[in-house]
RNA sequence: UCCGGCGUAGCUCAAUGGUAGAGCGUCUGGCUGUUAACCAGAAUGUUACAGGUUCGAGCCCUGUCGCCGGAGCCA
């Protein structure tokens, strides 16, 4: 090892490690995580390839928005303004009309100004699209795929999961069918008295836990001062550092928790579920949970309006358990070009910019649907780590593009 | 864009408004078939940046920048 190798065996902060990501990659933790990532990607490809899907690569440079305009990355294309793709879905739908069962798998880009543990500006997404499938069938597909991924990771990456300290038993419990609830039901759960009481009780317990940790930390600091030099002192320092980290982390979490409870209680029908809401809902289950039938105005223009309730669309989100939240978003697609054009207008998009997409309906269409799975969020969940930035070799976040 | 936190030695972090420190790393010497060695000694700072308050600012105030977490939005 070179004398001035920057990464020592001692503790380092995230910022320092990320600045040296090219070398940090050589450490055991990144290796374990990225091996799991590889298994996840291979499991996904195998799953679709073995189930009659054809891989169709979709463009990365695109002329317009696939989801929403605010999160587009502009690119200068010989003087013309193009964007980096947010989803392959719209294009994929045209391939679906040709080949029936297709999927695309590639990087996607969203200029969301979100600095959270669940967000990257560049992330990988797999998107299947199935002809003649209704939303229930698409959900079954998602369920089967998740089970296939979990099984593959459990069989190929035991050692990596153990190294990462992952509670493997929680993954072994994953089996279909996953629970299903509607958006409206999720809202009732969030706004309800029982959940409020439960959350507040948990908050009190965690506050007590924080106090206990602080007391322990103070005691450890006193011990450190009187510790003998040498290995005893080092060990005690390690202990103090661990406790400080635990205290800081819990303290920060407890600060936002009351807000999250308040947000859950103030759930208003018509707004999308917030990240904290998803966390709360997903914590109530040991399995991934489907949340379906979101309000039309909160969701994308291409989702099929429910025949039984025009206020909602035939969509679903899949929330990973243990508080990990959304890893999949999917839906049946609207077939009526009039309805799509109307939704576009309502969301400030111009139907004429999507003429080719509307052509897919105009020149004959069949019921179809699909979903998108975020690879990094899935890996973070499977590995039991808190931040997605470690699940990709060189993460791109709002504040980091180096190295 | 908004809210909160942080920014001190190469790294991890201390320092009731009163002389900037520790551990690790580095360097020097010693000891030892060492495995995160050990012992003794040494060097190392524009306390992110720019102003302000004060007899005195790492600490208080204002602004800027950077990072972390969260909200909105999302996979």
């Amino acid at each position: 090892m070179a004398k001035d190798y920057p990464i020592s065996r001692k503790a380092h902060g995230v910022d320092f490690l990320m600045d040296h990501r090219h070398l940090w990659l050589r450490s055991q933790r990144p290796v374990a995580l990225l091996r799991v990532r590889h298994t996840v990607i291979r499991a996904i490809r195998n799953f679709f390839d073995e189930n009659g899907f054809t891989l169709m690569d979709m463009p990365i440079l695109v002329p317009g928005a696939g989801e929403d305009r605010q999160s587009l990355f502009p690119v200068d294309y010989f003087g013309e303004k193009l964007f980096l793709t947010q989803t392959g879905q719209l294009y994929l739908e045209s391939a679906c009309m040709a080949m029936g069962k297709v999927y695309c798998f590639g990087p996607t880009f969203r200029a969301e100004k979100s600095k959270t543990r669940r967000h990257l500006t560049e992330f990988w997404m797999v998107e299947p699209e199935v002809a003649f499938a209704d939303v229930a069938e698409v959900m079954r597909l998602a369920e089967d795929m998740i089970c296939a991924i979990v099984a593959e990771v459990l069989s190929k990456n035991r050692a990596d999961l153990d190294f990462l300290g992952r509670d493997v038993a929680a993954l072994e419990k994953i089996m279909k069918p996953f629970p299903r609830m509607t958006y409206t039901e999720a809202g009732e759960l969030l706004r309800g008295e029982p959940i409020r009481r439960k959350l507040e009780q948990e908050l009190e317990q965690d506050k007590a836990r924080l106090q206990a940790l602080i007391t322990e930390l103070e005691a450890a600091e006193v011990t450190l001062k009187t510790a003998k030099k040498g290995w005893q002192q080092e060990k005690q320092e390690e202990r103090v550092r661990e406790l400080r980290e635990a205290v800081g982390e819990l303290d920060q979490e407890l600060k936002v928790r009351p807000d999250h409870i308040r947000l859950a209680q103030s759930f208003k029908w018509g707004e999308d579920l917030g990240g904290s809401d998803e966390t709360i809902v997903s914590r109530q289950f040991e399995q991934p949970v489907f949340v379906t039938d979101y309000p039309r105005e909160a969701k994308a223009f291409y989702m099929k309006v429910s025949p039984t309730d025009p206020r909602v669309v035939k969509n679903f989100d899949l929330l990973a358990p243990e508080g990990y939240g959304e890893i999949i978003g999917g839906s049946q697609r609207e077939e009526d070009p009039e309805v799509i054009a109307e939704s576009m207008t309502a969301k400030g998009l111009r139907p004429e910019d999507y003429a080719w997409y509307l052509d897919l309906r105009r020149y004959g269409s069949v019921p179809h649907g699909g979903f998108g799975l975020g690879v990094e969020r899935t890996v973070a969940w499977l590995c039991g780590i808190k931040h997605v930035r470690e699940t990709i070799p060189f993460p791109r976040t709002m504040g980091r593009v180096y190295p």
Side-chain angles (χ1 to χ4, degrees), chain A residues 237-306:
Chain A
E237 264 171 13
E238 179 81 29
R239 175 110 192 92
V240 167
R241 196 164 35 231
E242 275 170 15
L243 280 168
R244 280 216 185 100
E245 201 174 315
V247 166
E249 207 171 292
L250 188 57
D251 183 54
Q252 203 161 35
E253 201 202 312
L254 290 186
K255 250 182 236 162
V256 298
R257 207 86 83 72
D259 280 344
H260 290 177
I261 296 175
R262 192 177 43 72
L263 280 168
Q265 289 285 300
S266 65
F267 168 88
K268 270 214 297 287
W269 201 99
E271 288 167 10
D272 207 346
L273 254 40
S276 57
D277 297 333
E278 287 175 359
T279 304
I280 292 169
V281 171
S282 71
R283 275 234 172 86
Q284 312 308 312
F285 300 90
E286 287 188 333
Q287 301 287 330
V289 53
F290 285 112
V291 181
T292 66
D293 302 274
Y294 280 63
R296 184 180 172 184
E297 64 263 35
K299 287 291 173 181
F301 63 82
Y302 50 74
M303 295 183 176
K304 184 173 176 62
V305 175
S306 170

Side-chain angles (χ1 to χ4, degrees), chain A residues 38-53:
Chain A
H38 172 239
T39 302
V40 167
I41 290 171
R42 189 177 47 190
I44 290 168
R45 298 207 108 104
N46 287 345
F47 175 81
F48 287 117
D49 294 347
E50 284 160 15
N51 283 284
F53 283 75

